[in-house]
Structures are given as structure tokens and as C-alpha cells.
Amino acid sequence: MGNATINPSQKKRVRRESTERRRRDILDAALECFLTNGVEGATIGQIRAASKASHGSIYHLFGSKDEIALTLFVEGMRAYHERVLAAIERQKTVRGKIRAIIATHLRGIANDPRLALYLTRLGMADDFGEISQQFRSRNDDFLQAVWEHLRPFVARGELAQFPQELYYPQIIGPCTHLSRSWLRGRVECDLLAATDDLATAAWKSLQPD
């Protein structure tokens, strides 16, 4: 029997999957380099050695080291936003939505602490050019989407009335503080075990007088 013929669409799919694997390998290697040396201190040479990719492959997929850093940050935050919004969507009560936000935040950190640490570091940076611009725009869209889920409960008097931009920080603030301390090794605890206490505190803080 002769070899089966691979049609053009299959060839494209194989090439696409190979490219995506190479891209993922580069991003994973870059994450480790950035965590070890910082974005400024890391080099393309370090990323190439860690990923075992050629310079040509790296520059074919990414225009520069900063573009790799930007891609890691933006894709990581987009995935976080998508997880939170999907979790909120599944809940019918406002208390359930608040708990879903906190549970999803903590679970994401516990499941991938290395990426979470990177996102935290860059998210707290004063400025990182295009990262700051893209993150600001995407974050504004995310906060607006969260607000649309909370708006009906505010209108019905189930939540206190605050300026729109305060709701998400009020829900996630203590959770974010705990997460950052945990990521830096300043506290040792079971992050997921803190979910209910943090959710109850957030719920109470948003109750009308």
C-alpha cells in the first residue's frame, strides 16, 4: 500500500499546529527568563536558549523582546478576564457573582503562580509603553462588563450605590492583597480555603446602609 496523500488543508493544519507549539514554547521560556532576570534584564539569547528556538523562528513570530513581554501580559490578562466573566455569567444571585469573582481570581493564582506573579509585576509597573495602553483599554472593557452584571442589583437596591469604577476594587481588593503576599512568599496559607471568608467580607462591604 502506498502512503496516504495529505491534502493541502491537512498540511496547513499541521503547519499551524507546529507554529503554535513553537510560539507557546517561546512564550513559556520567556516567562521563566522574565521572572528570573526581569523584562529589562532578559535577552533574546536567553529566551532562544531556553526555548531551543532559532533566532529566525523568534523574530518570525515576535518583532522584539518587548513584543514577547507584551504578548505574555495581554494574553494572560485576557484569559483571566474571560474566566471571571464566564464564572459571573453562571451565577444568578449577586452574592453568587461576588463569590465567583473571588474564587476565580484565587483559583487562577493557585493553578499558575508563575504566570500570576509575572502579571502582577507588570500590572504594577508605572509604565511599559504599549503594555500600559493595551492593558488600560482591555481592563476598561472588562470592568464595564462586570458592571453590567452588577447594575441590575444596584438598581433593585441589593447593592449599595457607589461610583461604577469602585465596585470591582471593592470586591477584589483584599483578595488581591492576599494573593500578592502569597505570591511573594510573605504568607503561607491555602488560598482557596480563604474564598468564603473573603467573599462574605466583600458582600458585607457592598450592602446598603
Side-chain angles (χ1 to χ4, degrees):
M1 294 178 62
N3 293 331
T5 302
I6 300 177
N7 63 46
S9 64
Q10 289 175 314
K11 289 182 179 179
K12 288 181 180 179
R13 178 176 57 79
V14 170
R15 283 197 299 269
R16 186 166 58 248
E17 291 174 351
S18 176
T19 299
E20 181 54 32
R21 284 194 300 271
R22 189 179 307 114
R23 180 180 181 276
R24 189 70 258 167
D25 288 343
I26 293 168
L27 289 173
D28 289 344
L31 174 61
E32 296 306 316
C33 292
F34 293 151
L35 287 175
T36 301
N37 303 296
V39 173
E40 292 299 320
T43 66
I44 286 290
Q46 291 168 348
I47 296 170
R48 182 199 59 76
S51 66
K52 297 181 173 57
S54 66
H55 274 92
S57 292
I58 292 175
Y59 283 112
H60 174 71
L61 294 166
F62 304 100
S64 65
K65 179 187 70 175
D66 285 352
E67 184 177 333
I68 298 174
L70 169 66
T71 300
L72 266 173
F73 184 79
V74 171
E75 290 187 0
M77 290 306 303
R78 182 171 62 234
Y80 168 76
H81 292 163
E82 289 173 353
R83 289 195 303 269
V84 170
L85 292 175
I88 297 174
E89 185 71 36
R90 291 192 291 269
Q91 300 297 319
K92 301 302 180 185
T93 67
V94 68
R95 189 163 187 171
K97 291 180 186 293
I98 290 171
R99 187 186 186 282
I101 290 170
I102 291 172
T104 304
H105 183 92
L106 294 176
R107 191 178 303 113
I109 289 170
N111 288 345
D112 197 346
R114 305 286 287 171
L115 178 60
L117 181 59
Y118 175 77
L119 297 178
T120 297
R121 287 179 179 175
L122 261 68
M124 295 178 68
D126 290 334
D127 183 62
F128 196 74
E130 191 179 356
I131 282 181
S132 297
Q133 297 172 18
Q134 288 203 26
F135 175 64
R136 189 177 299 114
S137 175
R138 290 177 182 275
N139 199 54
D140 287 348
D141 291 343
F142 168 68
L143 294 177
Q144 181 63 36
V146 172
W147 165 244
E148 293 303 327
H149 281 280
L150 301 178
R151 185 205 299 267
F153 300 99
V154 176
R156 293 200 294 266
E158 295 183 40
L159 292 179
Q161 291 195 2
F162 296 126
Q164 175 181 334
E165 63 272 15
L166 296 185
Y167 285 94
Y168 198 76
Q170 185 76 9
I171 293 169
I172 209 72
C175 175
T176 300
H177 182 78
L178 174 64
S179 300
R180 288 173 180 168
S181 296
W182 185 85
L183 285 168
R184 292 184 174 95
R186 295 175 182 170
V187 298
E188 293 183 7
C189 65
D190 182 347
L191 277 185
L192 300 184
T195 299
D196 287 334
D197 288 340
L198 289 169
T200 297
W203 163 252
K204 289 180 177 178
S205 74
L206 289 171
Q207 288 303 285
D209 293 332

